Amino acid sequence: MRILQTRSFNNAAKRRHANQKRDLDDAVRTVAADPAIGETKIGDLAGVRVFKFTMTNQLTLLAYFLAET
C-alpha cells in the first residue's frame, strides 16, 4: 500500500509539536493497518473516510480516501 500525503497535510504536520506528531503518526499507522477503520462520509464527501483519534487530549479527525489502482 502506498500512502500519499497532500502538501497541506505536510505543512500542517510540520507545525505540530513532537508529542502531537507522534500521535498523528500512530493514527496514520492505524489507518494503514486497517483502511476500513474510518467512518464513511456521504453526500459531497462521498468516498472520503474519517478516522477519529485523540491528539494531546483533543479529538482530531484524519480524513483520507482509498484510491483504486
Side-chain angles (χ1 to χ4, degrees), residues 4-16 21:
L4 302 175
Q5 300 174 351
T6 62
R7 180 180 215 156
S8 59
F9 179 87
N10 283 333
N11 289 340
K14 284 181 187 176
R15 288 184 241 127
R16 301 286 173 210
K21 285 182 185 178

Side-chain angles (χ1 to χ4, degrees), residues 26-67:
D26 290 342
V28 171
R29 283 188 200 101
T30 301
V31 170
D34 183 15
I37 197 168
E39 188 177 309
T40 305
K41 303 308 269 179
I42 57 174
D44 290 344
L45 296 176
V48 175
R49 293 173 108 37
V50 175
F51 177 66
K52 296 178 183 179
F53 69 100
T54 304
M55 183 186 326
T56 59
N57 298 324
Q58 183 175 8
L59 182 65
T60 306
L61 304 175
L62 176 64
Y64 65 97
F65 70 94
L66 303 173

